[in-house]
Amino acid sequence: MVLGPEPITPLRSVRHALRILEVVARHSGGVSHTGIARETRLPSDRLTELLRMLRREGYVEQIADGAYIGGASLTLLDTGAPGRGHAVEDKLQKSLTALRDSVGAAVYFSRYVDGEVKITQYADGPHTPRVNEWVDFRSAAHAMAVGKCLLTQLDQDGRRDHLSRHKTVRLTSRTTTSEKVLFRKLDSQPPTVPVLDLQEYAVGTVCAAVPVTAGRTVGCLALSLPLERAHRLRHAAYLLNREAAPMLLSLTI
């Protein structure tokens, strides 16, 4: 059997981006596109795409001769930089706002903290309204794209612990209330495919989420759309997955 190329996931994109940044860091006076390609061994089109993203996010800059050097974001987010926590939050918020405009939907960054689902940052607007939290998000992980995406990243014991504290109650006619069925769905969820919520949390709303995990951080990036725009969900979820790399990179550096 002939296998296709490894899918481009946010985590794989970040691994490649970090390889590029390592090369740039080794050449304080700047390094050319050709030099980066030689040292990273990344395909030219892939390298061009990642360099474009790194420039857009401020991680690298191009100087007069076309060589690449470290950018302002790289300095700001350095692990030893003072105020790094606030810098990461600001960078994530700017990325979320840009992502909102790109996908045309409210977007959310969520983490699993101390056994609870927490939406820590979001970006919405007049034409991209966020989900109405009619049931506490912490109690609705089994029904939400965000919650299910976070639960897929936990082991079986972690999931059981969560559901022992937050029961799988019915929120809409589409909500999965059987823990056995829920676990089966979580186990069969491909890591490269966005997790969906098709009116499982709230009637009239559809959502998608992709994992954004760095180190011990269990997180995800999500979007929501009103039902009348559900035809856009597949494409919006594709864009969400493609644009998750900058968020993950901010958390990884």
Side-chain angles (χ1 to χ4, degrees):
M1 180 175 64
V2 179
L3 298 177
E6 183 185 349
I8 301 297
T9 64
L11 183 57
R12 187 178 178 217
S13 292
V14 168
R15 288 203 301 266
H16 290 170
L18 289 173
R19 282 164 59 185
I20 294 171
L21 293 177
E22 286 171 358
V23 172
V24 171
R26 285 199 296 269
H27 298 269
S28 58
V31 57
S32 67
H33 186 286
T34 301
I36 298 173
R38 182 173 57 250
E39 294 192 41
T40 62
R41 298 184 179 180
L42 291 171
S44 180
D45 58 342
R46 181 68 180 143
L47 177 57
T48 297
E49 178 186 357
L50 287 170
L51 282 170
R52 187 182 301 119
M53 181 271 285
L54 291 170
R55 286 183 65 191
R56 184 183 72 236
E57 297 294 324
Y59 291 109
V60 299
E61 298 175 3
Q62 244 180 326
I63 54 180
D65 63 358
Y68 291 90
I69 61 172
S73 292
L74 194 60
T75 303
L76 191 64
L77 298 183
D78 183 88
T79 53
R84 181 181 184 277
H86 290 300
V88 170
E89 288 182 8
D90 289 344
K91 192 75 176 67
L92 285 173
Q93 192 60 47
K94 289 178 181 176
S95 296
L96 285 172
T97 300
L99 184 59
R100 176 201 63 193
D101 296 339
S102 175
V103 304
V107 292
Y108 314 80
F109 182 69
S110 180
R111 296 185 182 186
Y112 195 74
V113 182
D114 297 329
E116 301 292 353
V117 172
K118 293 187 178 181
I119 293 180
T120 56
Q121 291 174 258
Y122 65 88
D124 63 349
H127 303 293
T128 53
R130 66 181 183 273
V131 175
N132 174 36
E133 190 176 355
W134 77 282
V135 172
D136 192 324
F137 290 149
R138 292 174 299 178
S139 303
H142 64 290
M144 302 163 56
V146 162
K148 290 186 291 182
C149 189
L150 294 174
L151 290 176
T152 62
Q153 300 173 63
L154 304 182
D155 59 21
Q156 294 289 330
D157 289 340
R159 295 175 189 171
R160 291 193 182 94
D161 173 71
H162 183 89
L163 295 179
S164 71
R165 293 178 286 107
H166 300 291
K167 302 302 181 183
T168 53
V169 298
R170 187 176 301 282
L171 303 181
T172 76
S173 62
R174 295 175 176 266
T175 306
T176 298
T177 57
S178 165
E179 290 189 13
K180 183 177 181 180
V181 172
L182 177 63
F183 274 46
R184 187 165 64 244
K185 288 181 178 179
L186 296 177
D187 288 337
S188 62
Q189 175 69 34
T192 58
V193 176
V195 180
L196 301 181
D197 160 12
L198 305 177
Q199 300 190 87
E200 296 168 52
Y201 171 75
V203 174
T205 301
V206 294
C207 306
V210 296
V212 179
T213 303
R216 296 182 179 180
T217 298
V218 173
C220 75
L221 189 62
L223 65 82
S224 65
L225 288 166
L227 185 60
E228 60 266 25
R229 300 181 195 168
H231 62 281
R232 295 189 51 246
L233 183 63
R234 182 184 296 273
H235 182 62
Y238 164 78
L239 293 175
L240 184 79
N241 198 34
R242 190 184 71 180
E243 297 298 328
M247 314 284 180
L248 183 52
L249 191 57
S250 297
L251 297 170
T252 303
I253 291 176

